[in-house]
Amino acid sequence: MILFNSDRYLLLDYYIGQLTLKITNAEFRLRYLRTAIDCFGSFIDKAEELGIVPKEDIESYHREGKLKPELKREEKINRAKREKETEARLKQYLMRVIKRKQDRESGVLNSDSKSEVEEDDEDERKLELTYIEIAIRKAVEEIEACKEESSMLEQIEKMKLDHGGKLPKEPQNDLPRFQNFVMLPNDRSRLKGKVFGPSYPLPTMTVEEWGEQQMALGNIPAPGSVNQLPKEQEKDYDRDEDDDRKTMKDRSWDDWKDDHPSGDGNKNDNYFRRG
């Protein structure tokens, strides 16, 4: 076991590794990755000597080679669960330390009591150990990520050395390109759609698509020309209007003749009688 006063200094290598990864210099990126791996490894080695590294993180740290995809996925799930539990414990210890500090300042707790001082020290130690546990897990993840990136960069450097310090150009694909094609549903999928589909026919186009189709055919006017009709429709409209006007005039004349028969108003035929 270690005293909590020295716990905080244990994180020094971890923070140096984190700061090293933040350096943005592509030319020396591989060097920074190796330095970060050494810093994280030194931090985990010291924590392992003190016996405060969780078993799962020790196994991941000392593992050689890569896991199978299904095992890798299971490991990530378990790591996420442990992270959630650790975060909850960290919040619990932090709130307890803050509350005890407030109680001491307000006089609720006796700051001179030996038992109170020891309990405060134990709470702070648990808090810092929880911080370290979180840092260990993150350091293991950073080492894995740095190793993968380093492997890719080493391959790039090797390719540069093999081609005079430059990356080779990508080979041109001389194969003919496929033309665009549409996959039509087969009979099985078509029948399946009828069985599990609704009882009513589904629309084949949206209202906007129908409107565009009708405007292209000239059946409806385009936006901004609501009062304008196509020339042929405009001629038909004028012809129909003339026919209606003539029909109304003929009907009015027929009504007038019905109301005024021939000879109406010519009393005894005196006016038109010749002498």
Side-chain angles (χ1 to χ4, degrees), residues 149-165:
E149 186 176 353
S150 298
S151 177
M152 290 187 293
L153 293 177
E154 288 173 355
Q155 292 179 6
I156 294 175
E157 292 295 331
K158 185 177 181 301
M159 293 173 63
K160 287 182 178 180
L161 292 175
D162 295 339
H163 295 81

Side-chain angles (χ1 to χ4, degrees), residues 1 44 55 83 88 90 99 125 141-143 156 161 183 187 237 265 268:
M1 301 296 290
I44 296 176
K55 178 181 178 182
E83 181 178 1
L90 177 66
K99 186 177 184 304
R125 182 177 180 278
E141 293 176 354
E142 293 290 1
I143 289 175
I156 294 175
L161 292 175
M183 295 185 63
D187 293 338
Y237 179 79
N268 298 322

Side-chain angles (χ1 to χ4, degrees), residues 64-255:
E64 295 182 359
K66 295 184 178 180
L67 286 176
K68 295 181 179 180
E70 57 272 14
L71 297 179
K72 187 68 175 179
R73 180 176 178 273
E74 184 179 355
E75 184 183 59
K76 288 184 177 181
I77 293 174
N78 294 332
R79 189 176 292 172
K81 290 180 180 179
R82 291 192 296 113
E83 181 178 1
K84 187 176 181 181
E85 295 174 357
T86 309
E87 293 288 348
R89 283 192 287 111
L90 177 66
K91 184 177 180 181
Q92 178 183 357
Y93 292 147
L94 183 61
M95 295 300 296
R96 185 172 178 178
V97 170
I98 293 175
K99 186 177 184 304
R100 290 184 64 83
K101 183 177 180 180
Q102 293 175 348
D103 291 342
R104 285 198 306 272
E105 293 176 352
S106 61
V108 176
L109 296 177
N110 185 5
S111 58
D112 296 333
S113 175
K114 182 178 180 180
S115 60
E116 294 293 341
V117 173
E118 291 178 352
E119 190 170 352
D120 292 342
D121 292 344
E122 184 64 21
D123 290 340
E124 291 185 10
R125 182 177 180 278
K126 289 181 180 179
L127 178 63
E128 293 183 359
L129 287 176
T130 307
Y131 272 120
I132 294 174
E133 183 178 347
I134 294 175
I136 291 172
R137 184 173 56 254
K138 290 183 178 180
V140 172
E141 293 176 354
E142 293 290 1
I143 289 175
E144 294 175 355
C146 289
K147 286 182 178 180
E148 292 181 1
E149 186 176 353
S150 298
S151 177
M152 290 187 293
L153 293 177
E154 288 173 355
Q155 292 179 6
I156 294 175
E157 292 295 331
K158 185 177 181 301
M159 293 173 63
K160 287 182 178 180
L161 292 175
D162 295 339
H163 295 81
K166 295 181 180 181
L167 287 175
K169 296 182 179 180
E170 295 183 2
Q172 296 182 355
N173 189 3
D174 297 332
L175 297 176
R177 296 183 178 180
F178 288 102
Q179 299 294 330
N180 294 332
F181 61 92
V182 178
M183 295 185 63
L184 298 176
N186 53 29
D187 293 338
R188 182 176 181 181
S189 59
R190 181 171 54 82
L191 294 175
K192 181 180 178 181
K194 289 184 178 180
V195 173
F196 296 99
S199 58
Y200 51 88
L202 295 174
T204 57
M205 66 177 65
T206 63
V207 177
E208 291 78 6
E209 292 174 346
W210 179 85
E212 293 176 357
Q213 183 187 74
Q214 294 300 315
M215 283 189 290
L217 296 174
N219 296 332
I220 59 176
S225 59
V226 178
N227 296 327
Q228 298 179 2
L229 295 175
K231 293 183 178 180
E232 295 181 358
Q233 293 187 9
E234 188 174 359
K235 291 180 181 179
D236 294 340
Y237 179 79
D238 294 340
R239 189 181 302 111
D240 294 340
E241 189 175 0
D242 293 340
D243 294 342
D244 292 342
R245 190 182 297 110
K246 185 176 182 303
T247 301
M248 294 300 296
K249 184 178 181 180
D250 293 342
R251 288 180 181 177
S252 179
W253 175 242
D254 291 341
D255 293 340

